[in-house]
Amino acid sequence: MRIVILNWSEGENDPFTYFSREWQQRLAVLGHDVQVVPLDVRTILTIAEMHQDAPIDLAFCWQGLGSAIVPDGCTQTLWELLRIPLVCLHADHPCYNPLNHQQSSAFILHLYGPAAFANAANRLMPREWPAIAGIYPTLFAAATEPVPFHGEYFVLAKNIRDPRDIRREWQRRCDAPTATLLGGIADAIERAYRDGNVVNHHDVILAHVPAPLRVRLQGDAHDPDAADIMWRLTRELDQVHRNVAATFILEALPDVPIRIFGRGWERYKAFRNPRHEFFPADTADRSAYQYQSAYGILDVAASNDMLHDRTSRALQTGGGFLLSSSFHRGTPFDPAFADLFFGGDPLELARKVDTVRQDPVAHRARCAAFGVALANLSLPTHLFLEHLANHVEQRALRQIDRPAGGLQ
């Protein structure tokens, strides 16, 4: 199979260059011809020339970046014109950069890790071809050599917006009723987190929007005006959960050695806690050292029904993790691996951190066992590709009477 991976290298901390290389290696091991193509002014020409030279069977992109490429003078995307199936691997809510989530075509498949994100895309974006959710194979290749774990500290790598600053911005930027509404829903999100991180914060948002808007959103017919309001509310509020969870970690663990990488931590730096050391963020490609501490990482999922890419990377390196998520609930992982996940209870987190510090080797072994269980639940990479190929083929058959496009 000839496969293309689209790579955008201009994102903050440039995560996609690392993702692209790792995914390329995993696919190449299976015997596929895999090329990474930069997303830039030459992408359309590059893809067209490659496809003319030898047909491209499948393409991947991150967060939908590249899904909306339309050549000059055309009304269809590049993928529809050339009939190249594009799989968009999403880990963000569709309220961020909606253009990268809304292309609806037999040749563009939006695949989300969290079901809540796929549901939002389908509910709020009118589309002929629904987005789907599922646990796809890890993108990262397993470590080929033993990793030298050392250093008695945890690592928290997270860019944040201080929750206090978010609220101040609402007061400054929004009218009084809107600021009050946003502040009230943010309070509900934080309460839900501190009560145990069981309720998905997108459900909290929906439950606290004004009743008339909620009725319009839950109706059978798509209401574009109601959807637009919900998009804007979600874009403001989605960040609350992850930032509350990240700052909660430092507040709950004042006596635990933690190295924090990323921006936005100014208020916590001012506390001058010698146990908490702050460093600039690094690119994903140059951050292997962040996964080599004896205690492992403390991580925060964007939604409580998902894993995070840093957690997946820790698993592939053989490192340890504790993750703010309820991913395990209602799955075969619960209760066997519940000790690897935490919510907003400071005593619970302190207890789990203390267990790690008492025996880091046993903790890493526990995480490794979770990784095996996760792999057994996920489709192997080769079956994942077969599933995608069958899925897009069935979609393409429904377009059989549609004339093929092309680049002139």
Side-chain angles (χ1 to χ4, degrees):
M1 188 180 290
R2 193 171 197 219
I3 299 173
V4 161
I5 300 171
L6 299 180
N7 182 59
W8 186 59
S9 60
E10 302 302 316
E12 187 175 25
N13 303 336
D14 186 20
F16 303 130
T17 295
Y18 179 79
F19 293 176
S20 296
R21 189 186 69 230
E22 292 289 302
W23 190 222
Q24 180 186 32
Q25 291 176 358
R26 286 188 68 84
L27 298 177
V29 165
L30 298 176
H32 300 292
D33 174 12
V34 188
Q35 301 294 321
V36 175
V37 174
L39 268 174
D40 55 28
V41 295
R42 288 186 48 82
T43 302
I44 291 175
L45 183 59
T46 301
I47 294 293
E49 290 176 345
M50 290 178 64
H51 193 57
Q52 185 175 24
D53 178 59
I56 297 170
D57 299 298
L58 191 63
F60 288 94
C61 72
W62 310 111
Q63 310 286 35
L65 288 159
S67 61
I69 294 176
V70 177
D72 290 341
C74 299
T75 58
Q76 292 180 305
T77 66
L78 176 68
W79 318 106
E80 294 169 287
L81 290 166
L82 298 182
R83 293 179 174 257
I84 300 173
L86 174 70
V87 179
C88 307
L89 298 176
H90 290 284
D92 261 349
H93 192 278
C95 68
Y96 298 104
N97 302 307
L99 179 65
N100 297 328
H101 300 256
Q102 67 188 23
Q103 295 301 317
S104 181
S105 164
F107 296 95
I108 300 175
L109 172 64
H110 295 277
L111 176 58
Y112 294 81
F117 291 5
N119 292 339
N122 291 330
R123 186 176 69 247
L124 299 177
M125 289 177 171
R127 55 176 74 234
E128 178 185 1
W129 305 95
I132 62 175
I135 302 175
Y136 41 81
T138 179
L139 307 173
F140 309 127
T144 56
E145 298 180 0
V147 175
F149 296 104
H150 56 82
E152 295 183 340
Y153 56 85
F154 289 93
V155 168
L156 172 60
K158 191 72 178 171
N159 293 321
I160 69 161
R161 292 189 64 202
D162 192 318
R164 292 188 183 182
D165 292 341
I166 294 172
R167 291 171 181 267
R168 291 192 189 104
E169 182 183 329
W170 289 338
Q171 294 291 338
R172 183 178 64 253
R173 179 166 50 83
C174 303
D175 58 58
T178 302
T180 299
L181 174 64
L182 291 171
I185 299 177
D187 289 341
I189 292 171
E190 183 165 358
R191 282 197 303 273
Y193 181 73
R194 294 186 182 278
D195 284 345
N197 197 25
V198 176
V199 180
N200 187 293
H201 70 280
H202 298 102
D203 294 334
V204 175
I205 295 171
L206 184 61
H208 287 80
V209 299
L213 175 60
R214 189 162 59 250
V215 171
R216 290 169 64 188
L217 289 167
Q218 294 174 334
D220 292 334
H222 177 71
D223 186 330
D225 293 333
D228 181 65
I229 295 170
M230 191 62 187
W231 277 134
R232 287 185 281 132
L233 283 173
T234 304
R235 192 157 47 242
E236 297 287 349
L237 290 160
D238 186 64
Q239 59 188 319
V240 172
H241 170 85
R242 67 187 77 184
N243 287 298
V244 164
T247 53
F248 158 78
I249 291 172
L250 296 197
E251 294 165 2
L253 304 173
D255 299 321
V256 175
I258 306 174
R259 294 187 179 181
I260 302 99
F261 295 85
R263 58 163 170 78
W265 295 95
E266 285 72 19
R267 179 160 63 93
Y268 294 86
K269 291 180 187 177
F271 295 154
R272 298 186 181 279
N273 182 341
R275 292 284 189 172
H276 297 166
E277 301 178 79
F278 296 87
F279 303 88
D282 215 334
T283 66
D285 209 31
R286 296 197 299 263
S287 61
Y289 62 91
Q290 295 176 7
Y291 300 87
Q292 296 175 359
S293 73
Y295 295 163
I297 66 169
L298 299 168
D299 201 10
V300 175
S303 176
N304 76 346
D305 59 349
M306 65 182 290
L307 297 177
H308 190 263
D309 57 80
R310 292 190 189 92
T311 298
S312 297
R313 188 171 175 184
L315 288 171
Q316 292 309 106
T317 61
F321 74 90
L322 292 174
L323 176 64
S324 174
S325 174
S326 299
F327 173 79
H328 62 291
R329 294 181 185 273
T331 73
F333 308 129
D334 189 19
F337 296 104
D339 54 328
L340 302 179
F341 300 87
F342 64 91
D345 182 342
L347 295 179
E348 175 201 34
L349 177 57
R351 176 181 59 79
K352 292 180 177 180
V353 161
D354 187 56
T355 299
V356 174
R357 297 177 71 184
Q358 289 181 27
D359 195 341
V361 175
H363 175 61
R364 291 197 295 273
R366 190 82 176 136
C367 293
F370 171 78
V372 172
L374 180 65
N376 290 337
L377 189 65
S378 309
L379 280 176
T381 304
H382 71 284
L383 292 180
F384 173 70
L385 290 178
E386 288 180 15
H387 175 73
L388 288 179
N390 291 334
H391 190 83
V392 297
E393 181 180 2
Q394 292 301 313
R395 288 164 61 131
L397 286 174
R398 293 175 58 183
Q399 297 286 299
I400 198 70
D401 58 340
R402 188 171 174 179
L407 298 181
Q408 305 301 321

